[in-house]
Amino acid sequence: MALPVAPGRVAMRKTFGIMTSYRRRFAWVLVLQVAAVLATLVAPQLLGRLVTRVSEGTGTVGYVDGVVAVIVAVTIAGAAINRFAQMYARTLGESVFADLRERMMTRVVHLPLSTVESAGTGDLVGRTTNDVSRIEFLVRVGVPQIMVCTVTIVFTIVAAAVSDPVLAAGLLVVVPPVWAMMSWYLPISVPAYRAESAAHARLNGAVTETVENAETVDALGIGRRREAVIADRVAQAWGLERYTAGLRLRLFLVLDVAWRSPVVVILIWGGFLAARGHATLGAITTVSLYAMELRKPIAQLMFWIDLVQVSQASLTRILGVEEVRDDRTPTGAVPDGTRMALRGVRFSYRQGVEVLHGIDLDLVPGERLAVVGPSGSGKSTLGRMLAGINPPTSGSVTVGGVPLTDLSEAELRQHVALVTQEHHVFVGTIADNVRLGRPDADDGTIRRAIEAIGANSWVDALGEGMRTMVGSGHLTLSPAQAQEVALARLVLLDPHTLILDEATSLLDPRSARALERTLSTALAGRTVVEVVHRLYTAQDADRVAVVMDGRIVELGTHEQLVALGGEYASLWEAWSQE
Ligand code: ADP
Ligand code: MG
């Protein structure tokens, strides 16, 4: 199941929401930009008057010098204001972009784990990398530039109209063709660009699948078929690329003519009016200088409009991450006690393929329950139900009478946590890695957690103790050490119920046993559900649950189950023979 894409309207509303949260800074940029534009508008005005005066023969040398001095001063002032306007515009763009990215990351790290797993991490990684960098330029540079261009165009046209409305009306001839072109281009380009991105994603998918499974492809002798699939996808992508390139070609043809035409139009129109005595030479000078100044912002605006189209698809994918429905709705209910219970829990990862078929289980607070059973029987899935990682498809998992799905993520983790054999060491110090369990923990608390797990012996042997940098590019921890760090994190988090899913299976039997002893001291008083693959752990447990085919088939103490002579008894017999 893929992650959702935000519908156009939602994306628009959210973008607008982000912008309004910066309205003061946008207003400030606007004010500065207007000032900068006004400064550039002065020179054509003065030059126009100068031409009029000189052609009438009233322009003295002093007057000319004065005008030149004013133009120089205004130009310098304009450049200075422009510098600040650009600077504020750019920092605003950076802030908006940073905000967008942080918003996305916050959402990403709080996505329901089950959604991330079923959508595949590829889609999510694509959105946080490719899509983000695709809109980066637009948000950081484009948004402020679009503002700047719009302000410049509007004010230049207004200034031209003030100088000579009839003459300036000539500028409007570019509007109909540009308008027509845009209303043709915009509605068809967005779907076309989106189809193009999708075609590229399909092509990437086909290539990656084939390359990653090259051995299977060879073994099955389906190389030709994969080639045909890839060729087909290349053809689709190529077709769409050609199509969008054709769209751009036609757009730019019209716009190119359109943005060059104002000066020509003004000169012709001005000549026509001047011949009939309706326009002065000065006004023609002023308006045609304005027409020339319009060219740059119009060209820039065109560039950005095209990029806006290209970026829209990425934006809807980025904002789509926020559309993922939460798998929990905190009701504020407070669990009464720490007793966990499963009632009629059924679960399917995929529709129609049920993995757990109705499980009832009551955990006794403080007990140690070992879960055993063959591979694929649903032990890990049961652990995920208990830890609230996946909500059950039907039935309920409760703590103190409150369904886990009624608790917020933070509340849930205070009650129950899951440790598997998959653990990740984050780049940072050992203390940082442990602190993930409780971000506000001080060094003393972290130290005690490390000691509780018995990791202090090797941590202290490191040059900088728990301040040693670990993770990619730094010291590499052994699987056992990494696992201990993960467990220290758990001690810090201190939930009353812990689910350990083969948490020690990567360690050699001797260290596993040692760690388990330390762990049981560290976790004294906690309820521990432990999926085990070494049966001596089951022997030590208070109770044992045997899971077969998605059901708990036997439940009792080690002695009871051995005496029962059922599944557990035969597992135990087989295991103790080894
Ligand atoms: P165990 O831990 O006992 O080996 P699991 O709980 O991992 O068993 O798996 C139980 C069943 O659920 C297996 O048939 C497995 O193929 C299936 N399964 C496990 N994880 C997933 C998943 N993410 N998507 C689909 N099926 C899964
Ligand atoms: Mg498992």
Side-chain angles (χ1 to χ4, degrees), residues 348-539:
S348 325
Y349 287 100
R350 276 168 298 159
Q351 204 150 23
V353 191
E354 199 174 80
V355 174
L356 297 181
H357 315 288
I359 289 199
D360 292 299
L361 178 66
D362 284 277
L363 297 184
V364 183
E367 79 167 329
R368 207 177 167 80
L369 174 74
V371 178
V372 300
S375 167
S377 59
K379 303 182 298 294
S380 297
T381 309
L382 175 61
R384 295 169 68 93
M385 297 290 112
L386 276 165
I389 301 218
N390 301 73
T393 311
S394 70
S396 69
V397 183
T398 55
V399 56
V402 176
L404 297 187
T405 46
D406 286 2
L407 301 174
S408 73
E409 217 179 311
E411 286 169 330
L412 175 66
R413 291 293 155 248
Q414 286 164 13
H415 293 285
V416 51
L418 171 75
V419 182
T420 66
Q421 49 182 291
E422 286 172 45
H423 40 249
H424 183 72
V425 176
F426 294 87
V427 175
T429 65
I430 292 178
D432 290 339
N433 268 279
V434 175
R435 192 175 277 119
L436 289 172
R438 225 176 67 202
D440 58 340
D442 58 31
D443 283 359
T445 317
I446 288 173
R447 172 84 205 159
R448 279 192 293 282
I450 290 175
E451 279 167 7
I453 286 303
N456 48 321
S457 52
W458 63 265
V459 170
D460 290 343
L462 299 173
E464 290 167 88
M466 65 184 200
R467 300 205 182 289
T468 309
M469 288 292 287
V470 292
S472 163
H474 301 279
L475 179 72
T476 308
L477 296 183
S478 72
Q481 291 171 331
Q483 187 62 289
E484 289 186 11
V485 168
L487 291 168
R489 192 180 295 155
L490 203 66
V491 168
L492 200 64
L493 189 62
D494 197 25
H496 58 69
T497 302
L498 272 134
I499 319 297
L500 305 177
D501 185 1
E502 309 202 354
T504 56
S505 60
L506 285 180
L507 312 186
D508 62 89
R510 187 192 297 264
S511 6
R513 189 114 212 212
L515 182 60
E516 276 164 18
R517 289 227 182 81
T518 328
L519 204 56
S520 58
T521 328
L523 301 176
R526 310 276 173 280
T527 314
V528 178
V529 176
E530 193 170 359
V531 177
V532 300
H533 69 304
R534 296 188 182 102
L535 286 194
Y536 63 75
T537 323
Q539 193 185 2

Side-chain angles (χ1 to χ4, degrees), residues 10 151 162 184 192 196 206 259 518:
V10 176
V151 169
V162 169
W184 164 78
E196 192 185 290
W259 77 265
T518 328

